Amino acid sequence: KQEVTQIPAALSVPEGENLVLNCSFTDSAIYNLQWFRQDPGKGLTSLLLIQSSQREQTSGRLNASLDKSSGRSTLYIAASQPGDSATYLCAVGPLKAAGNKLTFGGGTRVLVKP
Amino acid sequence: DGGITQSPKYLFRKEGQNVTLSCEQNLNHDAMYWYRQDPGQGLRLIYYSQIVNDFQKGDIAEGYSVSREKKESFPLTVTSAQKNPTAFYLCASSPRPSTDTQYFGPGTRLTVL
């Protein structure tokens, strides 16, 4: 059974510092990996989706890498801003399953201090 | 505006009652999903539906029921058999029942009194 872990559970950094968020998964037979952002009491917003054949994806200040063989993904957020404060979740899509059954990590809660 | 709506935003239930959470999407997506989120934890899949009139159990379906009579609607009923229903419930949809990204609604917070 796939297990997804995100460590640390919480992270606090001063404004301007780069953020590094980690995601690890136990089964490397994945179809893709996604990073989501969740603001308190809100739904999830998709940030980046990496297909299993890709090594990384970039969008603005965000860059996500994927190392399938070692079961790891990293989300980098450059030059953090207070508006980046949120919980970030990663989710893994299975290689063989009907219905796009994502497995989520527990999330990393980020606080960017002005 | 296209998107996913969930109602109500907050819901209170007495023990022994069934309650139904609404999820509607106007994105013309085939697949829809229900997740449960507990404090400090990730999302766990309750039920999902790939097409109208079809749905499958997720990892924690016990005590829940769903229907998919229309493409745009996927209501979730939390029955009295669900032992610990207090949680944040999120509905999502994706264009196809494959591994497209999922689009999430704003969520419903259910509290059992």
Side-chain angles (χ1 to χ4, degrees), chain A residues 31-32 34 36 38 41-44 46 49 89 94 98-102 104-106, chain B residues 33 35 37 40-43 45 48 50 88 90 97-102 104-106:
Chain A
Y31 190 81
N32 60 25
Q34 299 180 57
F36 293 89
Q38 185 178 29
K42 306 288 186 183
L44 278 64
S46 179
L49 183 151
L89 297 105
N100 195 8
K101 293 174 65 177
L102 300 179
F104 282 82
Chain B
Y33 311 82
Y35 293 92
Q37 186 177 32
Q41 297 188 30
L43 278 65
L45 183 65
Y48 64 101
Q50 300 179 67
F88 190 51
L90 287 159
S98 60
T99 47
D100 293 322
T101 191
Q102 294 183 14
F104 283 80

Side-chain angles (χ1 to χ4, degrees), chain B residues 12-93:
Chain B
F12 299 90
R13 189 195 93 171
K14 294 182 181 179
E15 288 202 21
Q17 284 183 336
N18 294 353
V19 290
T20 298
L21 283 60
S22 169
C23 178
E24 304 276 333
Q25 54 98 359
N26 61 4
L27 301 169
N28 200 34
H29 286 175
D30 286 331
M32 297 186 74
Y33 311 82
W34 273 107
Y35 293 92
R36 170 183 173 137
Q37 186 177 32
D38 293 285
Q41 297 188 30
L43 278 65
R44 292 183 290 168
L45 183 65
I46 304 172
Y47 269 98
Y48 64 101
S49 169
Q50 300 179 67
I51 56 173
V52 175
N53 292 322
D54 182 67
F55 48 84
Q56 284 83 40
K57 293 181 179 180
D59 299 320
I60 55 167
E62 185 176 350
Y64 300 98
S65 66
V66 294
S67 63
R68 185 88 186 275
E69 297 177 1
K70 297 185 295 183
K71 187 175 185 178
E72 58 271 22
S73 178
F74 191 39
L76 173 73
T77 297
V78 185
T79 75
S80 57
Q82 170 48 235
K83 301 300 182 191
N84 184 21
T86 294
F88 190 51
Y89 290 86
L90 287 159
C91 178
S93 69

Side-chain angles (χ1 to χ4, degrees), chain A residues 3-108:
Chain A
E3 293 183 5
V4 181
T5 304
Q6 293 183 248
I7 296 173
L11 185 60
S12 178
V13 298
E15 182 178 1
E17 194 165 295
N18 295 334
L19 280 164
V20 180
L21 306 178
N22 299 305
C23 173
S24 62
F25 47 94
T26 55
D27 186 351
S28 62
I30 67 170
Y31 190 81
N32 60 25
L33 185 144
Q34 299 180 57
W35 283 93
F36 293 89
R37 169 185 171 135
Q38 185 178 29
D39 292 295
K42 306 288 186 183
L44 278 64
T45 300
S46 179
L47 297 174
L48 291 168
L49 183 151
I50 312 175
Q51 301 294 349
S52 62
S53 58
Q54 298 175 314
R55 301 280 299 180
E56 66 178 345
Q57 275 286 352
T58 299
S59 176
R61 294 185 295 112
L62 276 60
N63 174 276
S65 66
L66 174 64
D67 184 342
K68 207 171 57 168
S69 61
S70 66
R72 290 186 298 185
S73 176
T74 303
L75 177 66
Y76 300 90
I77 303 178
S80 62
Q81 304 168 358
D84 294 328
S85 298
T87 296
Y88 293 83
L89 297 105
C90 67
V92 170
L95 190 59
K96 294 180 181 178
N100 195 8
K101 293 174 65 177
L102 300 179
T103 301
F104 282 82
T108 295

